[in-house]
Amino acid sequence: MSDGAAAHASELVAVAAERRWAWIVGAIIAVIVVMMVITGLHWASMPPSRVETVDAKTLHLRGEFVESNLGTTLAPDGKVTVRVVAQQYSFVPQCLVVPEGMPVTFRATATDVIHGFVVGTTNANTMVVPGFVATFTTTFNKSGEHLMPCHEYCGTGHEAMWARVQVLPRDEFLARARSGERLSCVAR
Ligand code: CUA
């Protein structure tokens, strides 16, 4: 075989390999698009449509996230709400109280950079972004204490940023919440 013929043959091999990979990549993209369509239609998993914003610069001065309004409340209609602020490098309050076996709605925001938290090994897990209110509702099925670490890298103190969460038996929680005060387990 001449040099020219050999070069031509290797070019054909290269072109065939490229075409093969183009099909594989195309197939992967098609599978991902089909998955997105199926999950979107079947489980209605959509990007969040109702985005709540909040002014991070005046959090401490007025509105829902002033310090005296943070912690856990039991509304007269039985709804439990936990309000948390994340900042470099702590959560306020540092210790949260929630009931066992009742839906609990978290509302959280950040003062400075993006943080996040997860409560122990439960599914209570969110990012916390300055300027936005992160909100989700979950139920804790077992009483006990959890660590709640920050799970978004937020600076040099990130690994030291966590809170504690006490899941109280329902009756104990209700007895403590009856006063109408905001609950937390921060030592006074
Ligand atoms: Cu806050 Cu990492």
Side-chain angles (χ1 to χ4, degrees):
M1 213 176 351
S2 73
D3 277 0
H8 184 66
S10 55
E11 189 188 331
L12 287 181
V13 170
V15 166
E18 270 177 20
R19 188 163 297 138
R20 205 158 52 235
W21 277 108
W23 278 110
I24 292 171
V25 170
I28 291 172
I29 293 171
V31 167
I32 291 171
V33 169
V34 167
M35 264 165 54
M36 279 163 55
V37 170
I38 290 175
T39 55
L41 294 178
H42 184 62
W43 291 313
S45 59
M46 306 273 176
S49 54
R50 191 178 62 94
V51 174
E52 268 186 84
T53 57
V54 68
D55 185 355
K57 288 197 201 75
T58 57
L59 279 185
H60 59 301
L61 299 176
R62 56 178 169 269
E64 182 182 348
F65 291 95
V66 293
E67 190 163 5
S68 59
N69 205 34
L70 301 178
T72 307
T73 49
L74 175 68
D77 62 359
K79 284 208 177 95
V80 180
T81 305
V82 181
R83 291 190 178 82
V84 187
V85 168
Q87 63 194 10
Q88 287 168 316
Y89 296 101
S90 62
F91 292 100
V92 184
Q94 289 271 37
C95 187
L96 307 174
V97 178
V98 294
E100 175 190 358
M102 291 169 72
V104 176
T105 299
F106 282 79
R107 293 178 58 78
T109 191
T111 60
D112 38 32
V113 298
I114 296 176
H115 301 272
F117 63 79
V118 58
V119 179
T121 54
T122 69
N123 68 350
N125 186 341
T126 187
M127 277 173 81
V128 185
V129 182
F132 296 89
V133 181
T135 179
F136 64 90
T137 301
T138 189
T139 303
F140 297 93
N141 295 319
K142 262 180 25 200
S143 56
E145 186 160 325
H146 298 286
L147 281 182
M148 187 182 101
C150 177
H151 62 41
E152 291 286 338
Y153 182 76
C154 52
T156 51
H158 162 70
E159 74 277 8
M161 178 170 174
W162 71 81
R164 286 183 301 130
V165 178
Q166 287 182 357
V167 184
L168 298 181
R170 191 188 169 108
D171 294 344
E172 194 180 330
F173 176 86
L174 291 174
R176 280 187 55 181
R178 208 171 293 136
S179 69
E181 274 181 41
R182 273 151 224 290
L183 295 182
S184 81
C185 40
V186 175
R188 283 173 225 260

